[in-house]
Structures are given as structure tokens and as C-alpha cells.
Amino acid sequence: MADSKKTILITGGAGFIGSHLVKHFVNKYPNYTIYNLDVLSYAGNLENLQSIQNAPNYKFVKADIVNYEGLKTWFETIRPEAVIHLAAESHVDRSIADPTAFIKTNVLGTLNLLLCAKSIWSDAADWNRFYHISTDEVYGSLGEDGYFTEQTSYDPRSPYSASKASSDHLVRSFFHTYHFPILISNCSNNYGPNQFPEKLIPLIINNILNQKPLPVYGKGENVRDWLWVEDHVSAIDLIFHKGILGQTYNIGGASEMKNIDLVLLLCELMDEKLNRLKGSSAKLIHFVSDRPGHDHRYAIDFSYLTQQLGWKPSCSLRDGLQKTIDWYLSNSEWLQKVSSGDYLKYYEQHYLQRV
Ligand code: NAD
Ligand code: TYD
């Protein structure tokens, strides 16, 4: 399949994970024409794609997946043979402040894409496929033990995870109802270069750099599993090409950590890199009021993906954090640009309420 000429639509390709995925596909598969469709919200940034912007097999389309008519015209004209769907509102805190945008983009936007693809794939070719990228947050919150498997019942607890769960259900319903060719993966927290500094790791790096308080929600006891973004991309590549249609695959980083320990580790690594006195960044840690409905722990059992397709994460959390910090230190202009304007307003409002 990788040798044949294909037209592939990637949605949300100007965002964090999407931009890594678009670059990977454009570089690795010269026979594929990759369309990146993105509305360029606050989280979308074409600078993430500078290295491939002039590649002959890459095209950018500015469009909103909520706009069904525009999407339909585009599908009927270009007739992509496969879709990898990442476009979404992706930040839990924003979903708590304004759930409506999450329902529009994550639920209605996904339905629009499903309908458009279904209308042009009525005679589904062998490898027409709609690959939906989702999150482990749909499974809810774990106690101290246990892992999410592909069989874990859905129990979303934030407007963000509820909107993603809803989109997963819609995608799966198309498989059962219309024999529509779908794939789904649910992964843990990604980190790496180009992540918008509203998410924990880049926010802490940015604040250490600028010697601003490091906001830790509650007591910092919540646990997340961290997945190096390039490992996520390699899993998506495998699942896209070799996954069984109709299946769901869990993807994890095998790197669980309490938030406070992660923040302390970032402080230690940054003190070293910035030649600051050992312990000086940790003094910036500030415990702030907890996120409402804060999920306690996420942890992923990805053994099905390992057994079926031989995938495993390749990068340890410490190495991944070193690479991430190095990237942010060498791209301070990128960080400054995305941290101004709208984001600054959001940041001031959001953290003013928490302190
Ligand atoms: P992101 O917020 O960095 O990027 C989202 C992209 O979608 C942006 O480029 C934005 O402009 C675009 N977009 C938003 N609304 C749109 C609309 N209406 N029409 C077209 N484009 C629109 O997100 P990310 O962190 O790269 O996440 C990508 C996907 O992976 C999402 O579906 C998210 O739910 C999922 N996911 C992310 C993580 C994570 O840790 N970041 C973990 C699990 C799953
Ligand atoms: P985040 O990066 O927003 O991802 P998610 O909510 O999808 O897991 O948050 C990761 C963890 O860090 C989560 O438990 C909330 C916590 N957190 C803080 O303690 N302080 C912060 O400023 C942010 C943004 C998150």
C-alpha cells in the first residue's frame, strides 16, 4: 500500500501531534499526496510545518470541519482515499470554561467528516479508511492500580473527554451500521516539540524559562502516562497501514508519573541546562486550586498493539524530556510568538482564578 499513489487527508495537521504526523507522512511516503486541513485555531500554527511547506506531495487547506457544506464540496472535488482525523479542541481546562466549542468541533465536526467520506466511498475500495485519533481520557479515571484496556467501559468525566467519547461512539457506529472502514486509537498524554504551552510540560518549561510561578493543581498527586510524540506517530503509521478495520488500539508511553514529580524533574533538568543554581526552579512551584473533576490517574495497557503489530514506545521519559527542553530552548522565538495575544489573555484569566 505504501508504494501506491494515494490521496490522504490529515485533519488538524497544524497542531501539535498533527504537524509531527504530517511531516512524517510527507517525508516517508513520496507517493502519497497529503492534504492538511486545519482551521488554524489558537492551537494551529503553520510554522510547525515549515520544513515541508514546499514539498510537492503536501498541500494545505484552511477549512473548518464544523462547516459541512464547505467540507462536502472539498471531498467531492479532491476525493481523498483515506482520512486521519486529529482536528479537535484538545485542552481539558478550556472545555471546563466553554464546553460548546468542544461539542461543535469534536462531535459535529467528526460527524461531518464521517458523512463526507461515506458519501464518496459508497463503493469502498480496499484501503479506504477513516482513522480517528482519540484519547485514553474517554475511559475515565483510575485508582492506584489497574490499566485501561481496549475493553474498559467508557466513563468520560470532563466536557473534553465526553466530546471525544461521543466522537469515538459515532465513528464506531458507522462501522457497525454502514460497514464503513474505520480505525480508532486511544493514547495517553503526548509531549515533545511544538506543543502549545497551555499543556503541563511546555507550560512548566516556559514558566521556568521566564522565572514565573509553576502552577501545580491540588497537591500534584494526579498521575499521567507520558508518550513521546514521535512514538505516537510511529504507532499511527503502523495502525493506519496494518490495523484491522473496526478495531481500537490503545497506545501508551509506559511512563507514569505524579505531576509533582514530573514538575520537580523538569526543574532539575532545566537548572542543569540553564546553569542555574540547583533547586532554584523548584522554588517557583506554586500549589493552586485543583481542576474541577480532576481525573486521578491514567495508565494504558498497550499489550494488544504490541502483540498485533509489534509496536513499543522507544523513548524513556527522561530522554524525551531532555529532547523537549532542548527544542524549546532553541526555539524561544516560537514560544514567545505563541505565548502572546490570545493565549496571554487566556493564561491571565485562567490562572488568576486559581491562585
Ligand atoms: P492541538 O490542540 O495541538 O491541535 C488541534 C488542531 O486542530 C489545531 O491545529 C487546530 O487549529 C485544529 N482545529 C481545531 N478546531 C478545528 C476545526 N473546527 N476545523 C479544523 N481544524 C480544527 O491538539 P493535539 O494535542 O495535537 O491533539 C490532536 C488530536 O489528538 C486531538 O484529536 C486530541 O483529542 C488527540 N489526543 C491528544 C493528546 C495529547 O496529549 N495532546 C492525547 C490523546 C489524544
Ligand atoms: P494537561 O497537560 O492539561 O493534560 P490532561 O489534562 O489532558 O491530562 O495536564 C496534565 C496534568 O497536569 C493534569 O493532571 C493537570 C495538571 N496540570 C497542572 O497541575 N498545572 C497546570 O498548569 C496544567 C495545565 C495541568
Side-chain angles (χ1 to χ4, degrees):
M1 165 168 140
D3 296 334
S4 49
K5 279 197 176 304
K6 298 289 171 204
T7 301
I8 298 174
L9 168 64
I10 297 181
T11 70
F16 165 48
I17 303 170
S19 60
H20 286 272
L21 184 72
V22 165
K23 283 184 277 189
H24 174 89
F25 267 63
V26 166
N27 289 325
K28 186 167 168 191
Y29 301 113
N31 284 325
Y32 295 172
T33 300
I34 304 297
Y35 281 87
N36 167 18
L37 187 150
D38 196 301
V39 77
L40 299 182
S41 73
Y42 77 94
N45 187 345
L46 288 178
E47 278 188 35
N48 297 349
L49 295 154
Q50 252 166 10
S51 65
I52 50 111
Q53 65 186 3
N54 297 320
N57 63 335
Y58 170 69
K59 295 181 198 323
F60 175 69
V61 191
K62 185 171 186 307
D64 188 343
I65 58 171
V66 177
N67 171 6
Y68 175 73
E69 289 307 324
L71 212 54
K72 190 159 183 281
T73 307
W74 185 85
F75 265 79
E76 283 166 356
T77 314
I78 304 297
R79 305 190 77 80
E81 285 141 310
V83 176
I84 311 180
H85 174 37
L86 295 95
E89 290 290 340
S90 69
H91 188 38
V92 174
D93 292 323
R94 286 186 191 251
S95 83
I96 294 168
D98 174 18
T100 308
F102 286 70
I103 301 306
K104 284 189 185 153
T105 289
N106 300 1
V107 184
L108 187 57
T110 302
L111 177 64
N112 287 342
L113 284 165
L114 286 164
L115 289 171
C116 290
K118 182 172 161 291
S119 77
I120 63 159
W121 297 346
S122 50
D123 275 331
D126 255 6
W127 78 277
N128 285 143
R129 59 203 55 206
F130 187 103
Y131 181 2
H132 178 60
I133 305 299
S134 192
T135 168
D136 60 357
E137 302 191 26
V138 297
Y139 298 124
S141 178
L142 292 165
E144 299 312 316
D145 307 313
Y147 294 89
F148 299 133
T149 73
E150 288 82 358
Q151 281 72 47
T152 303
S153 302
Y154 276 31
D155 182 23
R157 294 150 48 98
S158 73
Y160 165 66
S161 53
S163 70
K164 292 298 288 187
S166 174
S167 62
D168 290 14
H169 289 319
L170 275 172
V171 172
R172 222 169 263 126
S173 79
F174 269 54
F175 177 74
H176 293 292
T177 308
Y178 307 114
H179 306 292
F180 182 76
I182 66 114
L183 292 157
I184 299 180
S185 56
N186 298 79
C187 69
S188 50
N189 289 54
N190 284 225
Y191 71 102
N194 299 99
Q195 187 168 29
F196 195 82
E198 65 185 353
K199 305 278 169 66
L200 182 67
I201 289 178
L203 184 136
I204 295 295
I205 294 174
N206 196 16
N207 285 16
I208 293 177
L209 253 177
N210 295 299
Q211 310 216 337
K212 283 172 49 179
L214 312 179
V216 175
Y217 297 169
K219 293 184 178 147
E221 300 277 317
N222 305 66
V223 176
R224 295 294 181 264
D225 171 52
W226 295 97
L227 174 63
W228 170 241
V229 65
E230 293 297 343
D231 278 337
H232 187 195
V233 164
S234 74
I236 295 176
D237 185 341
L238 255 184
I239 294 167
F240 178 73
H241 287 99
K242 305 220 162 104
I244 300 168
L245 294 180
Q247 281 293 356
T248 292
Y249 297 87
N250 278 356
I251 310 171
S255 295
E256 274 185 64
M257 202 174 263
K258 276 189 189 166
N259 291 338
I260 185 63
D261 294 335
L262 177 68
V263 171
L264 283 167
L265 177 56
L266 284 166
C267 288
E268 178 199 318
L269 296 173
M270 292 280 289
D271 283 346
E272 276 169 28
K273 301 239 181 232
L274 295 169
N275 285 322
R276 289 187 185 158
L277 206 63
K278 207 174 165 194
S280 58
S281 297
K283 289 198 184 120
L284 297 169
I285 291 175
H286 210 74
F287 291 96
V288 297
S289 61
D290 210 351
R291 171 186 282 172
H294 198 170
D295 286 341
H296 175 64
R297 174 171 165 259
Y298 304 142
I300 281 259
D301 176 349
F302 55 87
S303 55
Y304 179 66
L305 179 57
T306 306
Q307 281 156 21
Q308 294 295 310
L309 303 179
W311 180 90
K312 269 193 203 141
S314 71
C315 185
S316 73
L317 182 54
R318 200 180 174 93
D319 285 354
L321 289 177
Q322 301 266 20
K323 289 194 267 188
T324 305
I325 294 170
D326 288 343
W327 186 86
Y328 280 97
L329 292 182
S330 332
N331 290 274
S332 48
E333 214 176 292
W334 182 97
L335 197 52
Q336 238 161 20
K337 263 195 220 162
V338 303
S339 314
S340 57
D342 275 356
Y343 173 60
L344 215 54
K345 254 186 265 154
Y346 160 82
Y347 185 86
E348 276 158 12
Q349 274 167 9
H350 180 69
Y351 288 96
L352 208 66
Q353 287 159 8
R354 288 192 175 273
V355 177

